[in-house]
């Protein structure tokens, strides 16, 4: 049986029409190649932990494969690492969304003059989700430059998937404190904490319990790979169950060092019940994005 057949059997057993994955990466090819080069060299940042890319394929093959998996809604998580890059990425994202209708139109931002303007343009162009990468961008999400953009996104109700935890390697502005400052100013901002805030899982659970629009995605968490260097505390599983309507499936496809199916099995073996699994793998994302 192929991996795609096993994945379809997984969601079929749950009585789902497919999967909704809020954390997948599509971006301009030359940018993606640089991202892959980063992961290829990640061992020097993680004490020798290797990160092979499982789905190192051309764009058309990757799109076809995720559709074969039965993912009926996915994203194009793209992010800048310097000023002047976000608008260009957003222009590419408009074109990609136009030819890939099952991919949620994704945009990004960076703390720079003019950010509110191009974020507004992206929202008006139909952006349905934004990506912010505090670690790669090396910026404080609570920067005053970003404040108007956060306010705009909160008002528009557009979710933001934000990589702000300190895994797989800490950054200058990673951790819960900067995000807490953003939420104190914009409590209705729909933040989706990537990787459940790895490695500060419980601190980000605190924020989700405090703010009703904060969600967490499952990307990499609970997998054998992540448990080796950033294990999720088992004492926090009851809190995860309680927040079942705000946990979203994320995979990091194609940039994962294990098969896509393994993320699904890792969630299933938490034994939090079929209802929780159905909500995480499909219903929560479908509700958030109106799929």
């Amino acid at each position: 049986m192929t991996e795609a057949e096993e994945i379809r059997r997984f969601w079929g057993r749950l009585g789902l029409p497919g999967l909704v994955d809020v954390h997948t990466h599509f971006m301009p090819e030359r940018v993606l190649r640089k991202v892959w080069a980063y992961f290829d060299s990640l061992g020097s940042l993680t004490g020798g932990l290797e990160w092979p890319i499982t789905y190192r394929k051309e764009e058309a093959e990757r799109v076809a494969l995720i559709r074969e998996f039965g993912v009926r809604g996915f994203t194009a998580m793209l992010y800048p690492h310097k000023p002047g890059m976000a608008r260009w990425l957003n222009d590419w994202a408009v074109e990609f969304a136009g030819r890939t209708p099952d991919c949620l139109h994704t945009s990004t931002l960076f703390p720079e003059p003019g950010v509110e303007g191009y974020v507004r343009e992206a929202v008006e162009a139909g952006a349905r989700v934004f990506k912010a990468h505090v670690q790669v961008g090396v910026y404080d999400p609570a920067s005053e430059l970003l404040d108007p953009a956060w306010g705009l996104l909160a008002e528009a109700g557009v979710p933001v998937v934000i990589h702000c935890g300190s895994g797989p390697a800490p950054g200058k502005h990673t951790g819960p404190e900067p995000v807490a400052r953003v939420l104190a100013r914009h409590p209705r901002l729909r933040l989706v904490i990537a990787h459940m805030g790895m490695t500060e899982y419980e601190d980000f659970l605190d924020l989700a319990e405090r703010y009703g629009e904060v969600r967490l995605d499952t990307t990499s968490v609970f997998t054998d790979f992540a448990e080796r260097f950033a294990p999720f505390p088992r004492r926090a599983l009851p809190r995860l169950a309680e927040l079942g309507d705000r946990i979203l499936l994320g995979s990091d496809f194609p940039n994962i060092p294990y098969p896509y199916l393994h993320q699904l099995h890792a969630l299933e073996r938490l034994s939090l019940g079929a209802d929780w699994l159905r909500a995480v793998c499909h219903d929560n994302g479908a509700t958030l994005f109106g799929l």
Side-chain angles (χ1 to χ4, degrees):
M1 184 180 296
T2 67
E3 184 187 18
E5 289 171 332
E6 290 189 72
I7 290 170
R8 298 178 78 89
R9 174 178 286 189
F10 172 88
W11 54 256
R13 274 193 288 111
L14 292 170
L16 293 173
L19 303 171
V20 177
D21 188 337
V22 303
H23 196 138
T24 65
H25 293 281
F26 291 90
M27 57 187 72
E29 287 299 285
R30 63 188 177 94
V31 178
L32 186 60
R33 295 293 186 271
K34 290 181 179 179
V35 171
W36 286 348
Y38 166 79
F39 283 110
D40 288 343
S41 64
L42 197 61
S44 62
L45 300 174
T46 55
L49 186 66
E50 298 299 323
W51 196 299
I53 306 296
T54 301
Y55 302 100
R56 198 186 297 254
K57 303 176 184 294
E58 295 302 313
E59 181 186 282
E61 293 180 88
R62 284 181 271 119
V63 172
L65 187 57
I66 201 166
R67 287 171 174 165
E68 193 179 351
F69 289 168
V71 181
R72 58 187 297 260
F74 53 98
T75 58
M77 296 281 105
L78 69 183
Y79 45 86
H81 62 271
K82 60 184 178 180
M85 189 176 176
R87 186 186 291 273
W88 171 70
L89 288 172
N90 289 350
D91 288 344
W92 179 90
V94 169
E95 187 270 335
F96 183 76
R99 58 186 166 86
T100 319
D102 41 351
C103 181
L104 297 165
H105 179 176
T106 310
S107 293
T108 191
L109 75 175
F110 195 84
E112 58 190 333
V115 59
E116 182 183 10
Y118 67 70
V119 166
R120 186 180 302 278
E121 289 172 11
V123 171
E124 291 174 351
R128 300 175 70 184
V129 62
F130 273 70
K131 168 69 171 183
H133 206 311
V134 172
Q135 182 194 52
V136 169
V138 194
Y139 62 80
D140 184 348
S143 164
E144 289 184 6
L145 285 167
L146 284 173
D147 206 51
W150 294 139
L152 190 160
L153 291 169
E155 185 67 26
V158 177
V160 181
V161 177
I162 182 169
H163 185 133
C164 49
S166 297
K172 183 178 180 181
H173 300 287
T174 57
E177 193 274 331
V179 176
R181 284 189 280 126
V182 172
L183 289 167
R185 294 181 209 157
H186 305 284
R188 293 188 298 117
L189 182 62
R190 290 180 164 179
L191 283 186
V192 180
I193 308 299
H195 307 275
M196 303 193 79
M198 181 191 297
T199 54
E200 297 96 343
Y201 299 116
E202 291 177 284
D203 293 326
F204 283 103
L205 284 170
D206 289 345
L207 289 178
E209 289 166 348
R210 193 181 316 160
Y211 295 98
E213 290 294 349
V214 171
R215 296 161 173 83
L216 305 104
D217 82 34
T218 65
T219 307
S220 302
V221 189
F222 315 114
T223 64
D224 294 347
F225 181 81
E227 287 289 295
R228 289 162 54 195
F229 67 94
F232 186 88
R234 288 308 184 259
R235 63 177 174 269
L237 284 177
R239 300 172 71 186
L240 207 62
E242 285 295 315
L243 287 168
D245 61 339
R246 284 190 280 135
I247 309 299
L248 303 166
L249 173 65
S251 69
D252 239 353
F253 177 92
N255 307 333
I256 46 178
Y258 43 78
Y260 191 100
L261 181 66
H262 179 56
Q263 177 78 76
L264 303 176
H265 285 165
L267 294 172
E268 186 174 38
R269 70 189 182 191
L270 294 175
S271 300
L272 293 178
D275 288 344
W276 184 89
L277 204 56
R278 276 190 287 267
V280 171
C281 290
H282 177 271
D283 295 349
N284 295 341
T287 299
L288 180 62
F289 294 108
L291 300 178

